[in-house]
């Protein structure tokens, strides 16, 4: 009588099949994880851009120097060129000072929107596009491009610009249009 020994272990086809299935499962999980991070980065970028859009709009309309120093409470609005910049000059009713909002004339490289009072040669008070209201030497993470100010009607001012933020290897943009009806007079 012949003694049969049972062999333990996997055959070569079984090992190859399990390896192929494992690689397919890990590839699918890696793809899912990569896409999840991409969606997360896009969501984070859109949230950051929306937050900066709200802050910029508030500072332009209500004032970066305190309540009542913005466009909604101002008179004598003029739009002037200043080198590669364009600025909107106005005088708030509650203050005798003149204020200016500077924006980079549309180009391919985004810059910032600046807000200054009195003299354009003085240090800048606010830099829209940066996380803080101080224009330091650091590069902003949210940039502003294509600032344009124009009167679309006699008392209707339109400001357009685009916010840019890079996250996850992709640059997200958030176009902005602010239309202000200027009813104040001296």
């Amino acid at each position: 009588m012949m003694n049969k020994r049972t062999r333990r272990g996997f055959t070569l086809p079984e090992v190859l099949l399990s390896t192929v299935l494992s690689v397919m499962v890990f590839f699918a999980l890696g793809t899912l994880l990569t896409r999840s991070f991409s969606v997360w980065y896009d969501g984070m970028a859109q949230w950051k851009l929306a937050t900066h859009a709200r802050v910029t709009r508030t500072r332009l309309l209500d004032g970066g120097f305190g309540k009542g120093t913005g466009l909604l409470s101002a008179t004598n609005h003029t739009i002037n060129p200043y080198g590669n910049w364009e600025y909107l000059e106005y005088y708030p009713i509650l203050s005798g000072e003149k204020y200016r909002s500077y924006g980079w004339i549309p180009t391919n490289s985004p810059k910032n929107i600046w807000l200054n009072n009195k003299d354009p040669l003085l240090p800048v008070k606010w830099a829209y596009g940066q996380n803080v209201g101080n224009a330091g030497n650091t590069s902003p993470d949210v940039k502003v491009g294509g600032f344009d100010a124009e009167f679309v009607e006699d008392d209707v001012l339109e400001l357009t610009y685009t916010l840019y933020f890079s996250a996850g290897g992709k640059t997200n943009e958030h176009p902005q249009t602010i239309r202000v009806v200027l009813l104040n007079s001296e």
Side-chain angles (χ1 to χ4, degrees):
M1 187 177 236
M2 199 176 237
N3 191 2
K4 278 189 166 182
R5 285 177 56 186
T6 58
R7 294 184 180 204
R8 294 186 177 178
F10 296 107
T11 63
L12 183 61
E14 291 172 333
V15 170
L16 289 175
L17 181 62
S18 63
T19 303
V20 167
L21 289 175
S22 297
V23 167
M24 289 172 59
V25 167
F26 286 127
F27 180 76
L29 288 174
T31 302
L32 179 65
L33 187 62
T34 302
R35 291 194 182 185
S36 297
F37 276 122
S38 176
V39 167
W40 183 78
Y41 278 128
D42 285 346
M44 181 194 64
Q46 291 303 319
W47 170 80
K48 189 163 192 140
L49 287 171
T51 301
H52 277 267
R54 181 184 53 79
V55 169
T56 303
R57 184 178 297 115
T58 300
R59 288 183 183 168
L60 283 169
L61 296 177
D62 291 337
F65 295 98
K67 198 98 173 128
T69 60
L71 292 173
L72 291 179
S73 61
T75 64
N76 294 338
H77 305 82
T78 58
I79 300 169
N80 305 303
Y82 184 71
N84 288 332
W85 295 80
E86 181 174 66
Y87 68 89
L88 175 66
E89 187 174 81
Y90 56 94
Y91 294 82
I93 293 174
L94 301 176
S95 169
E97 297 182 79
K98 68 179 172 185
Y99 291 83
R100 291 180 176 174
S101 292
Y102 289 84
W104 193 259
I105 293 174
T107 63
N108 291 333
S109 66
K111 302 292 184 189
N112 286 312
I113 296 176
W114 306 103
L115 181 66
N116 199 350
N117 65 340
K118 300 179 186 173
D119 188 342
L121 301 176
L122 292 176
V124 175
K125 175 70 174 175
W126 291 108
Y128 302 131
Q130 296 199 20
N131 286 330
V132 294
N134 187 359
N137 293 328
T138 60
S139 178
D141 55 353
V142 174
K143 297 186 178 186
V144 181
F147 177 83
D148 184 38
E150 66 176 323
F151 286 99
V152 291
E153 293 177 26
D154 288 340
D155 292 331
V156 179
L157 174 69
E158 186 174 88
L159 303 172
T160 56
Y161 54 93
T162 303
L163 298 174
Y164 296 94
F165 178 67
S166 295
K170 178 182 172 186
T171 299
N172 296 277
E173 55 184 71
H174 199 266
Q176 295 292 300
T177 299
I178 299 175
R179 193 171 270 203
V180 184
V181 178
L182 307 169
L183 299 176
N184 296 317
S185 60
E186 290 185 88

